Amino acid sequence: MATGKRFKTLSIALTAAMALSLTACGNSNNNEGNTSSSSASPSSGSTSGGDSGKKVTITFQNIYPDPTTPNYKMVRQLVSQYEKEHPNIHIELDTLNTDQQKVKLKTQAASKEIPDITMVNPAAQMKPFVDAGLLAPLNDVIDKGGLKDTYQAGLLDYYSFNGNVYALPDGNNIEVVFYNKDLFQQAGISAPPTTFDEFLQDVKTLKSKGITPLAIGEKDSWTGSFLFMNILLRTNGGPGFLKDVVDGKKTFNDPAFVEAVDRFQDLVQAGAFPDGATSIDANAGGNIFKSGKAAMWIIGTWETGAIDASSVAGKVGAFQFPTVDGKGDPNEFMLAPGSAFAISANSEHLQETKDFLNYFTLNLPKTQFDLKNAVGIGQKVDGDLKAAGYSDLAITVAGLFNQVKGGDLSFDNTMNPATSQVHLSSIQNLFVQKVDSAQVAKEHQSAYESNK
């Protein structure tokens, strides 16, 4: 869980007059052999201490598959620039959606053949990779060129074990409800909901007008879990439910958890989600909203730039997840320290890969800022959003960061992988059939007790 102190720092970094640390200078399913060119020219940031001049290919597994998004463009822009400056280095992109990448990485890890650069999630999700000795410590990478100081205070702690940093995050986000103002107006909804009952009524109203209320792609099961955790954060009266379970103070049979399951099922039974949601992956689910076919999308603020780059740009607002049955504080959020870049400890080109990642991350903030995608990145950014032409949505989201009082990490970033898998499957199942909430709670508790 992030502390209020850290989010105070974060808010400073993301106000309309953002702090752009220019010491740092600056989300298809396809494998790609090379990268696109770019007209932008990020500063070099660092030189290649391990660049011996020999021909080297570095594999870079990433989770930015949508060509319409700033993140897709950011990766190709930086890779292209690096290859121009280092003609002996070829960066081979392996681009997958999030769940596909997780599955592939697990398979690769089992044979100890993970890519030179891959992506991991913080805390509990990345610990098994560290414990297995698969990831290289990156202390020397962050010490080079002032890179360490570009990260928001405390953020690297989520990616550190035994005094070593093992991954460099791409973001530090909160989860909000994005909504299409035109579709709200079309349905006769005058203002965003502040309570779950209002939220549920809006869902029913939108549904009655033939509008999909909530976009989601639940084939990638983390999406439903993320939404569910918002409800649990409220029914629990604040953050810390999972920690209380781990500390033995609560069990999954607690009324807060059972109530969260009930309220989540209220959404499903009201027809909140697209038909066949469990057959739609996360990217396709997001595109339902970004193409103007759904009224709301509950997702991390990392999508702000992608929304602004889509056909609904200018029509979208954002609000906090509402209170549930009078419980919870809207300024407590689901927190999402980002997926992060990690290097294989067994990389054949370890030094060259470290040099590239140092360059990539040093230049990432400015590149994201120029692509109008700096809201929610994990590094300090200095600049004036309004003067730089950022949207009203981006400025609104940046303002929400200023209100963060704390919150919870996602279920699978907190619990052990085996319990998390049972949770993800259980929540996914709620999309296709109504289940006794007490039974859902019992399944969770049983999984936890079997795997703690």
Side-chain angles (χ1 to χ4, degrees):
M1 183 194 320
T3 66
K5 181 179 178 181
R6 186 165 71 76
F7 269 93
K8 189 170 184 178
T9 302
L10 178 62
S11 71
I12 292 170
L14 290 171
T15 52
M18 296 170 73
L20 183 80
S21 281
L22 288 182
T23 47
C25 178
N27 287 327
S28 90
N29 174 20
N30 58 317
N31 297 331
E32 304 168 55
N34 209 337
T35 61
S36 60
S37 61
S38 167
S39 59
S41 181
S43 62
S44 297
S46 83
T47 56
S48 302
D51 187 347
S52 63
K54 65 182 178 182
K55 294 291 184 183
V56 168
T57 295
I58 296 171
T59 53
F60 184 0
Q61 189 174 72
N62 68 92
I63 54 170
Y64 310 118
D66 187 341
T68 68
T69 63
N71 277 337
Y72 181 97
K73 295 170 185 171
M74 174 272 294
V75 168
R76 283 149 188 80
Q77 190 166 307
L78 289 174
V79 166
S80 177
Q81 183 66 28
Y82 192 80
E83 288 182 330
K84 287 177 183 174
E85 295 179 16
H86 306 78
N88 59 311
I89 305 291
H90 171 59
I91 311 297
E92 187 170 284
L93 296 179
D94 181 17
T95 302
L96 305 158
N97 72 34
T98 302
D99 269 17
Q100 290 167 336
Q101 188 265 340
K102 286 182 179 178
V103 171
K104 185 171 184 177
L105 181 59
K106 286 179 181 176
T107 302
Q108 292 170 322
S111 59
K112 299 185 183 302
E113 294 179 348
I114 67 176
D116 296 306
I117 298 177
T118 187
M119 302 200 73
V120 294
N121 289 94
Q125 283 200 62
M126 67 178 290
K127 188 173 186 299
F129 296 100
V130 174
D131 290 345
L134 294 171
L135 304 181
L138 302 180
N139 301 34
D140 53 340
V141 175
I142 62 172
D143 286 341
K144 186 176 176 182
L147 179 61
K148 183 177 182 179
D149 293 335
T150 72
Y151 286 93
Q152 294 163 14
L155 180 59
L156 292 177
D157 293 348
Y158 290 117
Y159 311 87
S160 300
F161 300 85
N162 301 318
N164 293 317
V165 175
Y166 286 93
L168 305 178
D170 63 354
N172 192 13
N173 288 272
I174 55 177
E175 189 167 58
V176 301
V177 186
F178 292 103
Y179 73 105
N180 185 313
K181 297 176 181 177
D182 284 0
L183 294 182
F184 264 45
Q185 184 176 31
Q186 186 178 324
I189 302 172
S190 59
T194 59
T195 69
F196 192 84
D197 285 342
E198 291 175 357
F199 183 58
L200 192 60
Q201 183 56 53
D202 289 345
V203 163
K204 294 174 180 176
T205 300
L206 288 159
K207 186 73 175 177
S208 70
K209 300 292 183 181
I211 300 168
T212 299
L214 281 164
I216 200 167
E218 179 59 8
K219 182 178 180 181
D220 297 344
S221 53
W222 65 268
T223 54
S225 170
F226 230 58
L227 197 165
F228 169 80
M229 289 296 291
N230 280 279
I231 303 176
L232 180 60
L233 180 61
R234 299 289 184 257
T235 59
N236 190 53
F241 180 85
L242 296 180
K243 183 176 185 302
D244 284 347
V245 171
V246 172
D247 291 344
K249 298 176 180 176
K250 289 184 178 179
T251 73
F252 285 101
N253 300 313
D254 188 275
F257 188 85
V258 174
E259 182 183 4
V261 174
D262 283 333
R263 296 308 247 165
F264 184 86
Q265 292 198 107
D266 286 343
L267 288 175
V268 176
Q269 297 304 313
F273 304 107
D275 293 338
T278 56
S279 62
I280 303 169
D281 69 29
N283 290 307
N287 285 334
I288 295 173
F289 180 82
K290 290 185 284 186
S291 60
K293 297 175 182 173
M296 293 181 281
W297 188 21
I298 302 176
I299 198 74
T301 47
W302 62 77
E303 293 288 354
T304 305
I307 291 171
D308 280 336
S310 75
S311 63
V312 295
K315 303 176 181 177
V316 177
F319 62 90
Q320 300 103 315
F321 196 84
T323 58
V324 179
D325 298 336
K327 289 177 278 191
D329 184 335
N331 290 323
E332 292 172 335
F333 291 79
M334 283 302 299
L335 310 174
S339 48
F341 309 104
I343 291 179
S344 169
N346 300 317
S347 170
E348 184 180 349
H349 309 293
L350 185 59
Q351 191 56 54
E352 288 88 349
T353 303
K354 286 184 172 181
D355 289 336
F356 166 69
L357 185 59
N358 177 269
Y359 174 98
F360 183 89
T361 45
L362 275 169
N363 286 280
L364 186 147
K366 184 178 186 307
T367 304
Q368 292 283 45
F369 187 82
D370 292 345
L371 289 169
K372 295 185 172 52
N373 197 39
V375 174
I377 70 170
Q379 292 166 273
K380 300 169 188 172
V381 182
D382 216 356
D384 187 325
L385 289 179
K386 193 171 184 66
Y390 273 68
S391 69
D392 291 343
L393 174 65
I395 293 171
T396 296
V397 170
L400 290 177
F401 276 94
N402 293 338
Q403 302 180 42
V404 175
K405 291 182 178 176
D408 277 330
L409 297 183
S410 67
F411 194 106
D412 56 0
N413 281 341
T414 307
M415 276 288 169
N416 62 67
T419 304
S420 294
Q421 189 53 55
V422 169
H423 162 76
L424 294 170
S425 297
S426 180
I427 297 301
Q428 189 181 52
N429 184 50
L430 300 182
F431 282 82
V432 295
Q433 63 177 334
K434 195 171 192 307
V435 181
D436 177 32
S437 53
Q439 182 61 33
V440 174
K442 185 177 178 181
E443 290 171 358
H444 278 72
Q445 187 62 25
S446 178
Y448 174 67
E449 291 177 357
S450 298
N451 294 286
K452 65 180 178 181

